[in-house]
Amino acid sequence: NPRPFFSRRIGLTPDGRPVDILAGIKVTGREGPVTVGLLDAQVDSFDGVDSKNLFVGRVAMQLSESLSAGVLATEGEPRADGSNSSLGADLNYILSSSANDRSLELHTWVVGTNSDLAGGSDTAAAIQLLYPNEPFDFQLFAGRYGERYDPGLGFAPRTGIQTFSGSSGWRWRNPNPVTRKIDAGADFEFITDLDGRIETEDHKVSLSWENRTSDEVSADVEFERDRLPGPFEIRSGNVIPVGDYRFARYSLGFDFNPSRALSGSLSATTGNFYNGRRDDYKLDAEWRPSRHAHIGVSYELRSVRLPGGDFDVRLATVRLGLLFSTNLSLK
């Protein structure tokens, strides 16, 4: 995140209604170390917006066993009349050692956009370092997204910010006869404005234990900070006022081995939430009467208590899966 290209920008209005695709062509392929992807589509007019031509091109090259690079370009504004273009490049370095089964990854990218809707040009850039190994792993990430950064054929959920995040973990495998593994981890995230003033913080410490039958118990503590520069209407008529909010949340979860005929999970999270309180509960259950069928249900409740008014959010899901053969299934 954010993505300079997201395919569902083509054929949908900004609020998700379908737009006819009048014609299109896509070419993808690989020749030696070079991979190419090209897509061009002509979309119909909608709501007074003219018919548009939308283009995206991507070329990537494997420079060596460990190093790859690529460029990406887009042209076209699917949301409104006006122009939008972007041009970006990325570099990826993966160092692996089969001798000690370790790897180290470095990923970096930069994208520039020119958008009539955003009022000009701007850039976004990021760098990420990964050490995905056992027993110790970590990752570090830093990114900067300009105020007018606006990829018309992608999306940028939050601009005008700098973000710094990281995580680390340690895994113990088979430390005793009743334990398969124990995981301990910590995460952090800082989001600032472009002048370095804190807007959001998020820090979490977690611990999980898995037994020999793959049942798992997990717990975590999360500390959050969110500075609201303007009133935030979390729900119609329910406004959280301007302020610098700091709150802590506590979670406990149980996951049962999914290979059993009857499996599922339970979790509960409680704690402060801005100038109020929020409690979350989730139940998930799945029954597999045979290898050809599975039936699942889940229910989630988020109970929010705020000075501006209390409300509950409920989400219920029912799932059915049938496997008739290796070639035919129904979900």
Side-chain angles (χ1 to χ4, degrees):
N1 276 333
R3 295 174 182 266
F5 172 65
F6 186 60
S7 62
R8 296 193 182 186
R9 283 292 198 194
I10 300 176
L12 290 176
T13 65
D15 59 0
R17 291 177 288 118
V19 177
D20 287 342
I21 298 175
L22 303 178
I25 184 169
K26 181 171 72 171
V27 178
T28 63
R30 180 169 182 171
E31 181 64 35
V34 180
T35 303
V36 176
L38 302 172
L39 175 65
D40 189 86
Q42 186 73 28
V43 297
D44 204 356
S45 59
F46 69 94
D47 296 345
V49 178
D50 295 339
S51 175
K52 294 293 186 71
N53 184 263
L54 308 174
F55 168 81
V56 57
R58 164 75 170 165
V59 178
M61 177 175 286
Q62 193 70 37
L63 301 173
S64 69
E65 185 176 333
S66 303
L67 185 65
S68 65
V71 293
L72 180 138
T74 72
E75 180 69 40
E77 175 56 83
R79 301 164 294 179
D81 287 332
S83 65
N84 186 291
S85 61
S86 66
L87 179 64
D90 61 282
L91 186 70
N92 306 280
Y93 181 73
I94 301 176
L95 179 64
S96 297
S97 171
S98 56
N100 57 11
D101 195 26
R102 294 285 186 271
S103 65
L104 182 68
E105 302 179 19
L106 178 68
H107 307 279
T108 184
W109 57 263
V110 59
V111 178
T113 65
N114 190 342
S115 167
D116 286 349
L117 274 182
S121 304
D122 220 325
T123 59
I127 186 169
Q128 183 180 36
L129 181 66
L130 297 171
Y131 184 74
N133 303 292
E134 286 193 22
F136 176 69
D137 70 87
F138 75 86
Q139 68 165 324
L140 296 171
F141 177 89
R144 183 188 186 279
Y145 315 108
E147 194 74 52
R148 291 191 297 272
Y149 175 72
D150 180 34
L153 286 178
F155 64 85
R158 191 170 178 178
T159 58
I161 61 166
Q162 301 175 106
T163 177
F164 310 92
S165 63
S167 65
S168 63
W170 193 281
R171 171 168 291 177
W172 294 268
R173 285 194 179 272
N174 309 310
N176 58 59
V178 297
T179 301
R180 173 168 290 177
K181 64 182 176 70
I182 298 173
D183 288 322
D187 305 76
F188 73 87
E189 181 179 40
F190 295 93
I191 297 176
T192 75
D193 63 17
L194 297 180
D195 293 323
R197 292 185 293 264
I198 285 288
E199 291 189 356
T200 302
E201 288 184 49
D202 195 339
H203 311 285
K204 183 166 71 171
V205 178
S206 59
L207 182 67
S208 68
W209 172 80
E210 184 179 307
N211 65 13
R212 290 290 180 175
T213 57
S214 296
D215 300 315
E216 186 174 357
V217 180
S218 60
D220 62 65
V221 181
E222 188 169 12
F223 302 95
E224 299 180 57
R225 177 187 178 188
D226 203 5
R227 185 172 61 86
L228 298 182
F232 172 41
E233 188 174 35
I234 192 170
R235 189 168 179 262
S236 181
N238 193 337
V239 177
I240 299 175
V242 173
D244 190 345
Y245 296 94
R246 304 168 192 243
F247 43 94
R249 297 178 55 74
Y250 310 89
S251 300
L252 182 65
F254 302 88
D255 289 276
F256 304 98
N257 187 343
S259 65
R260 292 195 181 102
L262 184 62
S263 63
S265 63
L266 292 165
S267 66
T269 304
T270 187
N272 299 328
F273 186 67
Y274 292 98
N275 55 347
R277 184 177 182 83
R278 173 176 156 188
D279 300 308
D280 297 354
Y281 307 95
K282 187 173 182 180
L283 166 67
D284 187 274
E286 186 160 282
W287 179 45
R288 295 177 179 267
S290 75
R291 64 187 182 91
H292 297 288
H294 64 87
I295 301 167
V297 296
S298 64
Y299 181 78
E300 186 173 354
L301 169 65
R302 298 178 182 179
S303 181
V304 181
R305 303 292 177 259
L306 296 170
D310 302 339
F311 63 93
D312 294 331
V313 180
R314 297 180 177 87
L315 176 65
T317 307
V318 179
R319 305 181 301 274
L320 172 65
L322 300 174
L323 179 63
F324 301 106
S325 72
T326 55
N327 298 319
L328 182 63
S329 62
L330 173 69
K331 288 188 179 181

